[in-house]
Amino acid sequence: MREYIPKVIEEKWQKYWEESRLFEVGEDPHKKKYYLLEMFPYPSGRIHMGHVRNYSIGDVLARYKRMRGFNVLHPMGWDAFGMPAENAALENKTHPATWTYDNISYMKSQLKRLGFSYDWSREVTTCDLEYYKWEQWLFLRMYEKDLVYKKWSWVNWCESCQTVLANEQVLSSGGCWRCNSAVTQKQFEQWFFKITAYAEELLEYCDHLTGWPEKVITMQKNWIGKSYGAEIIFPLENGGKPITVFTTRPDTLYGATFMSLAPEHPLAQEISRGTKQEQQVTAFIERMKKRDRFKRMEDAEGEEKEGVFTGASCINPVTGWKMPIFLANFVLMDYGTGAVMAVPTHDQRDFEFARKYGLPLVVVIQPPGASLDPASMREAYVEPGIMVNSNPFNGMESTQAMGAIVDYLNSKGSGKRTVSYRLKDWGISRQRYWGNPIPMITCDRCGTVPVPDRDLPVVLPPRIEITGRGKSPLANLPEFVNTRCPLCGGNAKRETDTMDTFVESSWYFERYACPDYHEGPLDREKVRYWMPVDQYIGGIEHAILHLLYARFFTKALRDLGLVSYDEPFINLLTQGMVIKDGAKMSKSKGNVVDPNDLIERYGADTVRLFCLFASPPEKDLEWSDQGVEGSYRFLQRVWRLVIDLLRVIEGVKPCRDKEGVTGEVKSLRRKVHKTVKKVTDDVEERYHFNTAISAVMELVNHLYLFKPDKDAPVALSVIREAIETVILLLSPIVPHIAEELWQILGGKGNVLNVPWPSYDPQMLEEESILIVVQVNGKLRSRITVEADATDEEIRETALSDERIKEWTQGKELKKAVVVPRKLINLVVG
């Protein structure tokens, strides 16, 4: 075949790859392993361009590493449990399992059409019984280690639908996604993972993740949120359980004039009983239950401060003042202790609240050299200063007074130094059918009892009616709920909640190492060989929850003796979004491009090429129909180049030494080796596939302009080397056309098993020249560049020079003037 017909070529090679099981891999102690993994998808029905981009990035790296001699593990699977399947069951009158497995089948065929080098023999589907059985086993081991517990917790509740809602199911208006009725807060008993037991290690090991983007590290540190401060005890005026607060500003304690509680605080209702405020407090609590938690978080930062007096007071432990206790909309129960000592002169939220409700203001920190008058203050003073109105600490710097005041409190038994974390334990209970059943039993006589290992798995019953109403469909199934207590043999009931789907995605990467292991969740030897993951790829939207939960799970598995490493992912790449018409592609915006349509029209290689060429991986990709057309034309050019030159290079061996290579032929060979180095550096070090592709395009252009002498064997051998190099460099990016052209050339074996091209450093050094670098006309450095370097390449090299960086730091580059082969003058200002 001498015509480029993508459909024919791609189907041919996809069939060959599958039949030859080319991508399957096993442990090989004689090879260095490389574990490349993209975050697995939810089987929603079809892959989208975001998937295509993500998986194309991963496939390039997997193929490249294999050509570099690594034993590459590149698996794929399905994050298959979850709420969308239940929604589809309601809408389409089908079973969640049927919907899920149909989608998996279709999406798997789509991934195969794109030529991704997945080892499908390791496919993991989290709703498969064999997978969730071992997840239940892990749950029980964590329960034995006190890493699992149950407590009452607030959830979103729709009274009309009689069901618990996930945060994603609450509309921005505060209504239910299904019926638009007002969503309230309601308490249920929920299961939790004690992720806080690892808070300090999770924070400390952030500094070990040197292969992660700094932005993700910062997000995780902020989410864990370690704070040094003090726990202070405020007795209630009329006795009873005191209020404990955590504060990072004990230096302001003498200015605390009232107390703010979260509406969900256990004391909120109790302390108002029998007071004139009881009805107002009850009404406020009910109103806050109807307010979305995220709206409440906005209230904390926004202008709307609202509260109600409880009718009760507490005592400031250092001043003895009576402090009225308010409920406030901006205080959240899951931050700190759910109680805030309010210091209106030195906290802006408290200041606004105090002004609104006419509460007293007392200045206890004055700016150096100034004096604040509470009556004339327009905002809180939050900076350090000099202590006043704080006997015996007056005159001290506030930063020094912090420790002194805590020591004073400790001596009185009213407080102590402590560390607090923003991170809270992970609530995993979901009132859903389509999830992993929590393997616990409740017995009236024995209490909460784990399901014995011998009875695992607790199987999801296939016959189920999903109504969208009530707590969990499983609760309406007597044959599931009613069971026997494994301790006393008496009547008992199964837990009807299922696990959060983030649990499945917190250890799937380890199961890929041993998907067929039946003696436990993990084969230690195989996991020891493959883990940790060398390169993980996924969206920035997973920076906190999934990645933090996966890190926690790995540490828990380590402490259970199942793995021997501390962190699951050595390197992390967070790719940007695919943008069209100025917005992220989505069905709701009507700007979706169907990958299937593109594959039918242009072929999978074109789709892959465009996704990799249009933008660096970490940046957003702006969709361009013209860019897709351009990618297709480039592949046609490569095809024609090889076919046109085939008649003169067929049977010619590629050049492997410098002897007899002179003039224009030498220039071509230098261009070949220069391209190999550029592409290797861009793929290996920076993942800048766009500039790697651009370099290959330049080499192709060079070859089109090069006119060989038919009677010059050296020239033909250099052309052969150049053509083979183009094919090999492009093969991880566009594998189908590369395989076909390699076969047409008479190449041996699969491109994937051919070693990655190497370059001769001496060839790159032979034609180097010294360039003087001036900054605003003054000599500042000298750089070495290749003789045929472009002005742009000279400019980039000059700007990357360490001495030049010092002279240009913080300054704008206005222009760069190059005198060929002599100097460059950088004009900055």
Side-chain angles (χ1 to χ4, degrees):
M1 182 180 71
R2 291 298 182 262
E3 182 182 356
Y4 178 46
I5 305 175
K7 181 178 177 64
V8 174
I9 292 170
E10 290 170 3
E11 288 180 354
K12 166 188 171 181
W13 287 105
Q14 288 162 16
K15 181 181 179 183
Y16 172 80
W17 293 334
E18 186 164 0
E19 290 178 350
S20 64
R21 303 165 73 175
L22 184 64
F23 307 136
E24 293 185 16
V25 65
E27 297 72 39
D28 185 344
H30 303 295
K31 275 188 175 183
K32 188 174 181 180
K33 69 93 179 178
Y34 191 85
Y35 186 175
L36 187 287
L37 183 64
E38 305 99 25
M39 295 179 186
F40 64 171
Y42 182 81
S44 56
R46 288 173 174 266
I47 63 167
H48 52 67
M49 290 310 303
H51 290 130
V52 175
R53 187 186 189 203
N54 185 2
Y55 304 151
S56 295
I57 292 167
D59 200 51
V60 170
L61 294 173
R63 289 174 176 272
Y64 166 77
K65 287 293 185 179
R66 180 157 170 176
M67 295 175 74
R68 293 302 299 262
F70 286 86
N71 193 29
V72 177
L73 174 58
H74 188 207
M76 178 50 70
W78 311 97
D79 193 7
F81 275 136
M83 187 173 57
E86 283 197 40
N87 296 341
L90 279 171
E91 294 168 10
N92 305 317
K93 307 298 181 185
T94 187
H95 194 281
T98 302
W99 185 83
T100 299
Y101 283 107
D102 285 349
N103 288 348
I104 287 173
S105 177
Y106 185 78
M107 292 175 70
K108 185 173 178 179
S109 68
Q110 286 185 294
L111 295 179
K112 287 184 176 182
R113 284 194 71 186
L114 282 156
F116 297 136
S117 59
Y118 294 130
D119 181 353
W120 286 108
S121 71
R122 295 174 180 269
E123 182 179 10
V124 163
T125 303
T126 60
C127 65
D128 284 352
L129 188 145
E130 185 68 15
Y131 185 85
Y132 74 73
K133 166 189 174 179
W134 292 116
E135 186 166 285
Q136 292 174 5
W137 186 92
L138 291 172
F139 177 97
L140 296 175
R141 301 292 83 76
M142 293 170 75
Y143 178 76
E144 292 168 357
K145 292 286 187 179
D146 293 325
L147 292 175
V148 178
Y149 66 96
K150 198 174 190 181
K151 71 173 182 177
W152 287 90
S153 179
W154 293 92
V155 297
N156 300 313
W157 176 260
C158 176
E159 187 66 29
S160 173
C161 296
Q162 286 289 295
T163 190
V164 173
L165 302 176
N167 289 329
E168 295 81 7
Q169 292 178 305
V170 180
L171 304 176
S172 58
S173 62
C176 169
W177 71 282
R178 186 181 294 121
C179 70
N180 206 31
S181 298
V183 174
T184 63
Q185 297 289 298
K186 192 169 183 176
Q187 277 195 314
F188 283 109
E189 271 199 299
Q190 308 274 293
W191 287 98
F192 287 81
F193 279 141
K194 198 183 290 184
I195 189 174
T196 53
Y198 290 87
E200 184 61 34
E201 186 182 350
L202 287 166
L203 182 64
E204 177 190 343
Y205 272 72
C206 281
D207 294 329
H208 297 194
L209 303 175
T210 56
W212 286 36
E214 190 59 40
K215 181 179 180 181
V216 175
I217 295 296
T218 300
M219 291 171 74
Q220 292 224 348
K221 286 182 175 180
N222 290 342
W223 190 262
I224 297 168
K226 184 177 183 179
S227 300
Y228 294 94
E231 243 180 33
I232 303 176
I233 300 170
F234 291 77
L236 292 178
E237 179 188 15
N238 297 323
K241 186 178 180 180
I243 296 173
T244 300
V245 305
F246 170 80
T247 179
T248 58
R249 294 295 307 274
D251 54 325
T252 66
L253 176 58
Y254 283 82
T257 58
F258 64 97
M259 179 70 67
S260 299
L261 298 183
E264 305 89 353
H265 196 285
L267 288 176
Q269 196 87 58
E270 181 181 327
I271 59 178
S272 68
R273 284 200 187 99
T275 72
K276 292 186 294 185
Q277 296 297 112
E278 184 174 1
Q279 288 187 347
Q280 293 185 50
V281 167
T282 300
F284 183 79
I285 291 172
E286 290 303 315
R287 190 153 52 83
M288 288 301 105
K289 285 181 182 179
K290 296 176 182 178
R291 189 156 179 79
D292 178 65
R293 180 177 176 277
F294 294 102
K295 288 288 185 184
R296 296 260 310 280
M297 292 174 70
E298 291 174 10
D299 292 341
E301 303 300 330
E303 297 180 2
E304 183 63 29
K305 303 292 183 292
E306 187 181 1
V308 64
F309 177 48
T310 63
S313 299
C314 61
I315 306 300
N316 187 313
V318 294
T319 65
W321 296 335
K322 279 201 316 183
M323 297 168 54
I325 303 171
F326 281 76
L327 306 187
N329 64 339
F330 58 84
V331 183
L332 301 173
M333 192 61 216
D334 53 1
Y335 282 78
T337 64
V340 175
M341 70 172 202
V343 187
T345 50
H346 303 296
D347 181 276
Q348 187 60 29
R349 292 178 304 178
D350 297 341
F351 179 85
E352 294 170 15
F353 193 90
R355 284 286 194 232
K356 181 172 181 176
Y357 292 99
L359 297 165
L361 282 74
V362 177
V363 173
V364 293
I365 300 175
Q366 295 279 17
S371 180
L372 295 175
D373 178 6
S376 60
M377 289 178 70
R378 295 186 177 181
E379 62 181 7
Y381 178 72
V382 298
E383 301 300 324
I386 305 301
M387 300 292 294
V388 296
N389 298 321
S390 304
N391 278 330
F393 305 102
N394 289 342
M396 291 181 68
E397 292 186 2
S398 59
T399 52
Q400 294 178 338
M402 286 186 182
I405 289 174
V406 177
D407 289 340
Y408 175 66
L409 289 168
N410 190 55
S411 69
K412 293 179 59 179
S414 297
K416 62 180 180 180
R417 281 186 174 84
T418 189
V419 174
S420 180
Y421 295 92
R422 181 175 181 266
L423 178 69
K424 301 301 177 185
D425 283 336
W426 172 13
I428 65 161
S429 291
R430 296 296 180 268
Q431 291 71 38
R432 301 277 171 245
Y433 163 73
W434 194 237
N436 190 359
I438 294 175
M440 302 298 285
I441 291 170
T442 301
C443 171
D444 289 339
R445 185 182 303 169
C446 304
T448 301
V449 180
V451 173
D453 288 358
R454 66 178 180 273
D455 294 337
L456 296 180
V458 178
V459 179
L460 274 179
R463 296 179 181 274
I464 191 81
E465 182 183 6
I466 299 174
T467 64
R469 302 178 68 86
K471 284 185 65 176
S472 166
L474 293 172
N476 301 321
L477 211 62
E479 59 267 36
F480 177 82
V481 176
N482 298 324
T483 187
R484 291 287 180 179
C485 173
L487 294 183
C488 70
N491 292 333
K493 295 187 180 298
R494 290 193 187 281
E495 173 64 67
T496 58
D497 284 354
T498 54
M499 296 188 209
D500 178 9
T501 56
F502 275 115
V503 179
E504 281 83 70
S505 60
S506 294
W507 70 288
Y508 77 104
F509 41 87
E510 279 141 341
R511 185 65 181 176
Y512 278 140
C514 50
D516 297 324
Y517 187 61
H518 303 298
E519 305 305 314
L522 300 174
D523 181 325
R524 289 173 175 80
E525 290 304 312
K526 290 185 176 182
V527 169
R528 186 177 292 113
Y529 177 83
W530 288 114
M531 287 293 295
V533 175
D534 295 280
Q535 180 66 63
Y536 200 35
I537 303 173
I540 190 70
E541 66 271 18
H542 300 294
I544 297 174
L545 296 183
H546 162 57
L547 290 170
L548 193 63
Y549 293 156
R551 295 181 61 213
F552 157 65
F553 235 75
T554 292
K555 294 175 188 301
L557 295 182
R558 176 202 62 197
D559 292 346
L560 290 172
L562 296 173
V563 303
S564 57
Y565 43 88
D566 300 311
E567 292 286 343
F569 314 119
I570 297 174
N571 297 293
L572 174 69
L573 173 63
T574 54
Q575 89 282 355
M577 297 183 296
V578 180
I579 306 295
K580 189 173 188 288
D581 304 326
K584 179 183 176 181
M585 280 190 183
S586 70
K587 290 180 181 178
S588 62
K589 294 185 174 66
N591 62 349
V592 171
V593 175
D594 189 341
N596 280 6
D597 295 341
L598 293 175
I599 294 171
E600 285 296 327
R601 184 173 179 183
Y602 299 105
D605 282 339
T606 292
V607 179
R608 293 169 57 121
L609 180 65
F610 170 75
C611 287
L612 297 163
F613 180 56
S615 173
E618 70 277 8
K619 303 292 185 183
D620 289 344
L621 184 156
E622 183 68 42
W623 186 262
S624 166
D625 293 333
Q626 293 80 10
V628 177
E629 289 278 359
S631 297
Y632 182 59
R633 287 196 300 271
F634 171 68
L635 293 182
Q636 288 178 313
R637 291 193 78 218
V638 172
W639 181 271
R640 287 196 302 270
L641 178 68
V642 176
I643 298 303
D644 290 348
L645 289 174
L646 184 62
R647 57 187 177 81
V648 296
I649 62 172
E650 196 166 20
V652 175
K653 291 185 178 181
C655 183
R656 290 291 180 259
D657 58 56
K658 296 179 288 185
E659 188 175 344
V661 182
T662 58
E664 290 299 313
V665 176
K666 184 177 182 180
S667 177
L668 171 61
R669 191 156 194 260
R670 287 189 64 253
K671 182 68 174 177
V672 171
H673 286 245
K674 179 181 175 183
T675 302
V676 172
K677 183 180 187 306
K678 169 68 174 170
V679 173
T680 303
D681 290 348
D682 283 347
V683 173
E684 180 78 43
E685 298 174 13
R686 294 180 284 272
Y687 299 168
H688 282 188
F689 310 119
N690 57 325
T691 53
I693 293 167
S694 181
V696 179
M697 288 177 170
E698 288 183 20
L699 178 56
V700 170
N701 291 339
H702 198 107
L703 280 163
Y704 263 100
L705 295 173
F706 186 76
K707 303 301 179 185
D709 185 341
K710 294 180 183 179
D711 298 326
V714 172
L716 296 181
S717 69
V718 171
I719 293 172
R720 175 80 187 209
E721 179 189 16
I723 291 295
E724 288 191 1
T725 299
V726 167
I727 294 171
L728 294 175
L729 294 181
L730 285 176
S731 65
I733 299 161
V734 286
H736 306 88
I737 190 174
E739 289 276 25
E740 186 69 17
L741 290 175
W742 187 254
Q743 186 180 72
I744 288 172
L745 278 180
K748 295 181 179 179
N750 299 103
V751 171
L752 191 59
N753 292 327
V754 176
W756 183 255
S758 59
Y759 61 89
D760 183 351
Q762 287 188 342
M763 286 205 65
L764 305 183
E765 294 171 2
E766 284 178 356
E767 297 292 328
S768 61
I769 56 174
L770 194 66
I771 296 287
V772 170
V773 184
Q774 297 178 343
V775 178
N776 293 337
K778 294 185 178 180
L779 173 64
R780 297 302 184 194
S781 187
R782 290 178 173 85
I783 58 173
T784 301
V785 300
E786 296 178 9
D788 58 353
T790 64
D791 289 358
E792 179 65 21
E793 289 171 333
I794 294 173
R795 185 182 75 88
E796 287 184 4
T797 305
L799 289 172
S800 64
D801 182 84
E802 291 300 323
R803 283 169 291 184
I804 297 303
K805 285 181 181 178
E806 295 177 8
W807 289 102
T808 59
Q809 186 175 12
K811 298 176 182 177
E812 179 187 358
L813 178 64
K814 296 184 176 179
K815 62 178 179 179
V817 181
V818 177
V819 178
R821 302 181 71 88
K822 291 185 179 180
L823 67 83
I824 179 172
N825 181 35
L826 303 172
V827 181
V828 300

